[in-house]
Structure formats: structure tokens, C-alpha cells
Amino acid sequence: MSGWWRRGWRVIWEREAVVFGRWEMALMRLLFALVMFDAGSKLVGWARADAGSFNARWGQVEVIPPVSSFVAQPKPHGLAVVLEKVSLDLAFLGDPSMAGMVYVGFLVALGCYVIGVVLPVALGVMFFSLLLHGTFHNSQGSIHHHLQLITCVVGIQWIASLVAVCRRGGARTWLALDGSSENRLVNWTQQVIVAAYVVSALSKLIISKGGWIWDAPWFGIQLAKAVDQDYYDHLRPGTETPAWLPDWLLENPWQARGLFGPALPLEFFAFLALRNRAMGALYAMALIGFHLTVSSLMSLDFRYNVQMMLVYFVNGPFWLWWWAAGRRRRAAAYARER
Amino acid sequence: MIRRLRTLGSFVVRLLRRLLAHPRYQVMAVMVAAALILGDRLFPFSSFPMYAGFPDRTHYVYLADDEGRPLPMHDFFGYRTTKIKRIYSNEMRDIFRSLKDSSESEEGDEIKLHTMTEEQLRPAGDATLRWLVANDRRRKQRKGEPLPALRLYHVDVDRGPDGRLRRTARWVGSYAGGVS
């Protein structure tokens, strides 16, 4: 038994310089492109027999709308402030023909990305489309957090592809990255995803002055707000939060701390997911569980986080391959023994 | 005390050096530093401040007709109440800042965000409704039908004297209706 424990501990704790196979990285590109289509949520909708919305939204990229619903940028944000100083207004994205052009450009770049050709150009187009769209969205007077991580991931992949071109040079690298460069691209992607959780944990510590877990019972007030807001979207209850939960949290502070407190260390130690494949998969599953719980309680949208975790950390196809290869090895050893 | 702080400081510096020296964590360390420095000022960086602190009170808004009956925000304008609340809160904070500046210079009275009156909040509510009408996502489905008169309500959520949750609604914005 102790041997099993030791082996299990080694599997999840030993540092491993993960080398991804070419097929794995190609599959990751395809799956990440599907994340842009929000394929995961669409499939869940389809499984829940919401075929209407599945059919209507299936072909549409979710991160870049073909037509923007905003007409102006009342409160310029980030890059929009800089562009405004040189008389450039992102409101052109509200013009259907311009939004359509950006959309088509994004689609073409996404196609190249999936095939794995001209990645420095394709990722550049994707990054700037997302950057402009996200900045325009955030220039409406409220900051949103659903596109940040996906834009950072595309941005770091673009930088990784440029680094590969600088290091290796040559038209061949422009056309297609070699294995080690693409491996670095995936590793940097993982680091960016993990960074978002570490930042979130540090923000919690800084803003709450270290008292986040102690203050957790007051989460009841935020929960009540989230439930009410969700109700006013359609005038029907939308979250799965029981009506008694917000008051219960306020009345039972220690239980509230025990229930929500673990979220902070879970986020803070997210960098452990970079230790090796097994740890990455296990940690990602814990974070996915955390996201799904928060989503069902507060109707918050973590769909891209969950899908990116599945693609870059859980990496189901690898484990299937690993299991199948192990079976083949055992069968061959058994045949040799006989 | 100072010695302890120095020890802690050198430990943190050593830890950061080790992290930065290891390629496995370098990009992560740079991203964390950039996000904490830039905060929410430059997309796509963010310090993800949502639910980073738990104040003892909060607020949200809802849409209503001219008799105060709630209307479904998403079905009506195509936006979630959370987004509209953020737009309203930003407007509210702008008004709060200007009120605070003027009260400090003129009377020296202390104004708090949650003690703002309906009259003080009204410009924020009106501006939010104007934004909704201008960026209406359901315009096509309405097929030219004029918008009805609308109201925006601000709801404070806090803990009442009995220790239980308390919600207090206030009328803070109006739209007279018309072509959207």
C-alpha cells in the first residue's frame, strides 16, 4: 500500500519538463479554436435539448460578434484612450460593415491557426481583433472580465510565435513552427492561465487586507445581490441558490468560512498545476469544480476559463492515449511471458 | 520587529528570484506583476477584483415600467442586469466624486456612497437608461414600435437590525418613452 502511495505522490509531485506531442498540440489548436466558438456551452445546450439555440448559434464565433451592438465609446478605456488622443475612435467597430470585416479577418486567421500555418500572422490578427473588440466593449462604462483571459492567451501565443521566428528565423518558421517552439507556446499559455488565478488570489489578499476568509460570511450579501440580479434578467429565478442560503451564511459565519474560504488557497497555489501533467489535470479539475459551483450559485460566466482548462490542463486525449499505450505495453509483456 | 520584517522581505525576494530564474514560472511571474500594476486600466490585463472584498452592503438596479412594475432586463434590452448595474455604478461613482469634492471645498460635510439621496442618484439612473435606449439590442425585434416610459430602481442590500438581509428600493431614473 505504501508503495502505491509513494508512486501516486511521485506522479503528482515530481517536476516534469512536459513535452507535448505534435498531434497533441495540433488537437489543442483545434480545440482552442472551438473555445472561440464557445463549442462547450453549445454542446451542453444541445445535450439539454435546447436545439433551437444550438442551431442558431452553432456557426457563430462567440468572442468576436459579426455585428457589434454598441454605437459609441462613451467612456474610453485603455487603448481607446490612447487612440482617442490621435483622433481614432473605436466606434468604427459599431459600423456593421467594419465589424463584418474584422469578423471575416478573424475567421480566416482562425482557419490558419487550426491548420498551423503562418502562426505569427494569424495570431497577430486574432490578438488585435480581440484587443480592439474587448477595449470597445470595456469603453461602454463598465469593465467586463469574460474576454481578458482568452485575449491574454492569444497574445502570449502570438509573442511565443514571434520569439520562435526571432530565434530560428527563416521563411520556414514563418510558415510553420517547429516542435520545440510550439511546445514553448503551449507552456507559456499554461503559465498565463495559471497567472490569472494567482492574480485573483493576490487581489483578494490586497483588497481585503488579508481578511478575505474572515469576511467570507458577508458573501451572503453578494449572493443575495447575484440571485436578485439574475431574477430581474427574465423575471424568473435563474440560479440554483436556495433562498435560505444568503441569510444562512450571515447567521453561520464559521460554516461560511469553511465553505468559501478554500477558494483563496485554491487560486493562490494554482501555479502548482505547472509541476507536471498529472498535477495539472487534477488541479484543473478542482478549479473547474470551483467555477461550476460559483456559476450555478451566482450565475457568473466562466465558460472560457473552464473550456481552456479542459484543453490545456485536463488534456483528455493525452490520458486516453496514455491509457491505451499502457494497455498495449502490458499486453505485449504478457504475451512475451507466455 | 524590523529584523523579522527584513527576514520576511529577504525570503520574498529569494522566492521571487527563484521563480523568475525558472523558465516554468517566468511568464507567469511577468503576467502577475503586469496585472497587479495595471489593474483594470488596460485591456486585456486585469487584477480580477471581483469579490476580492466583502463589504457589508451592496446594491443593484432593475428596470420597471412607469408604474414601477419590474420588466425583464434581458428580454427587453438584451443586456444582463449585472452589466447595467456596472454602468450605473460607474456613473454613480463619478457623481459621488464630484459631490465629495464640492462638499469638501464648500461645507466639509462627509458624503458616503450609500448615503447618496435619490436626487443625487438621479443623473446616474437617467444616464444608464439613455445608454440602454441608445444601445438597445432588441431594436430589430421591436420593428419600430416605440419604447414605453421606463424607470430604473436602485436596490440597497444590507443587514437589517434583526440580523437578516434587507432590501430597500429607490426610484433613480426615468425615460419618457418614444422611438428607440
Side-chain angles (χ1 to χ4, degrees):
Chain A
M1 192 65 183
S2 64
W4 274 98
W5 274 110
R6 219 172 293 146
R7 206 174 144 199
W9 179 250
R10 255 208 326 267
V11 166
I12 60 164
W13 195 248
E14 235 172 30
R15 271 191 186 164
E16 175 195 356
V18 182
V19 179
F20 298 97
R22 288 311 293 248
W23 66 271
E24 256 184 290
M25 295 189 286
L27 204 56
M28 279 175 178
R29 284 200 311 273
L30 171 69
L31 292 173
F32 184 51
L34 288 174
V35 172
M36 309 265 187
F37 280 87
D38 191 20
S41 305
K42 283 170 181 163
L43 279 173
V44 170
W46 177 70
R48 285 180 182 165
D50 185 10
S53 88
F54 174 78
N55 292 334
R57 292 169 53 222
W58 178 240
Q60 194 175 314
V61 177
E62 295 287 318
V63 289
I64 296 272
V67 180
S68 178
S69 59
F70 307 124
V71 291
Q73 49 173 41
K75 304 238 159 143
H77 167 84
L79 183 68
V81 179
V82 181
L83 292 176
E84 205 181 38
K85 281 182 182 155
V86 288
S87 306
L88 267 171
D89 195 330
L90 287 181
F92 74 87
L93 289 169
D95 173 5
S97 58
M98 284 307 289
M101 268 168 65
V102 174
Y103 187 76
V104 170
F106 188 85
L107 274 180
V108 173
L110 202 57
C112 294
Y113 175 77
V114 172
I115 302 165
V117 293
V118 286
L119 284 187
V121 180
L123 282 163
V125 172
M126 284 161 67
F127 174 65
F128 281 104
S129 307
L130 279 165
L131 181 67
L132 292 181
H133 175 73
T135 304
F136 187 45
H137 201 104
N138 279 357
S139 299
Q140 299 303 314
S142 65
I143 305 294
H144 284 258
H145 297 97
H146 69 294
L147 275 185
Q148 259 98 349
L149 188 54
I150 215 162
T151 311
C152 283
V153 163
V154 173
I156 204 70
Q157 292 196 355
W158 180 51
I159 292 171
S161 68
L162 290 178
V163 167
V165 168
C166 291
R167 281 191 181 171
R168 301 208 164 235
R172 221 171 140 186
T173 315
W174 274 102
L175 201 63
L177 298 189
D178 61 296
S180 67
S181 300
E182 200 168 349
N183 201 72
R184 190 190 308 117
L185 180 144
V186 175
N187 177 261
W188 285 10
T189 302
Q190 288 185 327
Q191 290 194 49
V192 165
I193 294 172
V194 160
Y197 292 95
V198 178
V199 166
S200 173
L202 289 172
S203 288
K204 284 182 175 67
L205 287 171
I206 294 165
I207 293 174
S208 68
K209 298 188 177 95
W212 194 85
I213 295 177
W214 185 256
D215 296 340
W218 290 106
F219 181 65
I221 284 182
Q222 303 298 327
L223 194 56
K225 178 190 79 173
V227 171
D228 287 4
Q229 286 188 139
D230 208 58
Y231 171 79
Y232 285 113
D233 280 347
H234 305 284
L235 293 189
R236 61 168 183 264
T239 68
E240 286 163 36
T241 304
W244 50 266
L245 187 58
D247 269 315
W248 183 86
L249 291 173
L250 290 169
E251 285 160 13
N252 299 278
W254 283 106
Q255 282 94 326
R257 283 172 197 131
L259 208 61
F260 293 103
L264 180 66
L266 182 70
E267 287 188 324
F268 187 82
F269 292 108
F271 59 85
L272 292 178
L274 298 169
R275 273 192 100 78
N276 59 41
R277 278 183 190 267
M279 186 60 146
L282 288 173
Y283 215 103
M285 284 194 273
L287 284 168
I288 289 171
F290 161 68
H291 280 318
L292 295 181
T293 310
V294 175
S295 291
S296 71
L297 282 178
M298 303 185 73
S299 198
L300 291 177
D301 192 355
F302 292 111
R303 65 180 94 170
Y304 299 129
N305 290 48
V306 169
Q307 292 176 33
M308 281 192 284
M309 280 280 173
L310 285 170
V311 173
Y312 289 108
F313 285 96
V314 176
N315 193 5
F318 166 79
W319 293 106
L320 273 177
W321 171 86
W322 177 81
W323 175 75
R327 254 183 83 121
R328 256 200 319 274
R329 263 199 312 274
R330 278 194 298 276
Y334 181 69
R336 269 199 307 276
E337 271 172 29
R338 288 191 71 188
Chain B
M1 181 70 178
I2 290 168
R3 236 173 75 186
R4 271 188 194 165
L5 277 174
R6 265 192 202 153
T7 318
L8 185 71
S10 65
F11 170 74
V12 171
V13 170
R14 258 185 292 146
L15 190 75
L16 281 175
R17 265 194 199 155
R18 276 189 68 180
L19 271 178
L20 283 169
H22 205 293
R24 196 194 298 267
Y25 304 109
Q26 274 170 349
V27 173
M28 184 197 82
V30 171
M31 283 299 292
V32 168
L36 287 178
I37 292 165
L38 292 166
D40 267 337
R41 283 185 287 271
L42 181 68
F43 181 88
F45 293 101
S46 174
S47 56
F48 300 105
M50 310 80 76
Y51 304 105
F54 295 129
D56 56 0
R57 62 181 67 238
T58 186
H59 68 271
Y60 63 86
V61 291
Y62 72 84
L63 189 70
D65 63 14
D66 62 345
E67 286 175 15
R69 284 177 301 226
L71 292 170
M73 180 75 84
H74 194 269
D75 300 340
F76 209 82
F77 279 118
Y79 292 101
R80 292 196 61 196
T81 312
T82 47
K83 177 177 177 66
I84 304 311
K85 184 255 174 183
R86 277 187 223 132
I87 290 178
Y88 169 78
S89 297
N90 274 346
E91 297 284 349
M92 185 178 149
R93 260 180 232 115
D94 287 349
I95 296 168
F96 171 69
R97 266 183 230 118
S98 61
L99 280 173
K100 206 173 174 204
D101 290 347
S102 60
S103 70
E104 268 173 10
S105 57
E106 286 166 22
E107 298 154 28
D109 291 342
E110 199 188 341
I111 287 183
K112 284 182 181 153
L113 204 61
H114 65 269
T115 59
M116 286 171 75
T117 62
E118 279 170 40
E119 284 67 39
Q120 287 168 334
L121 292 170
R122 198 157 283 270
D126 290 343
T128 307
L129 281 175
R130 273 199 305 277
W131 186 91
L132 267 170
V133 172
N135 295 281
D136 182 5
R137 279 181 174 160
R138 301 277 186 248
R139 195 174 289 139
K140 271 188 190 163
Q141 280 113 301
R142 249 188 276 285
K143 292 173 184 160
E145 214 176 280
L147 278 167
L150 298 167
R151 288 184 186 180
L152 195 75
Y153 280 85
H154 167 124
V155 182
D156 284 306
V157 186
D158 61 359
R159 206 174 182 188
D162 60 349
R164 298 186 68 81
L165 280 165
R166 178 175 64 180
R167 294 165 174 90
T168 320
R170 290 182 284 167
W171 175 18
V172 293
S174 307
Y175 173 71
V179 181
S180 70

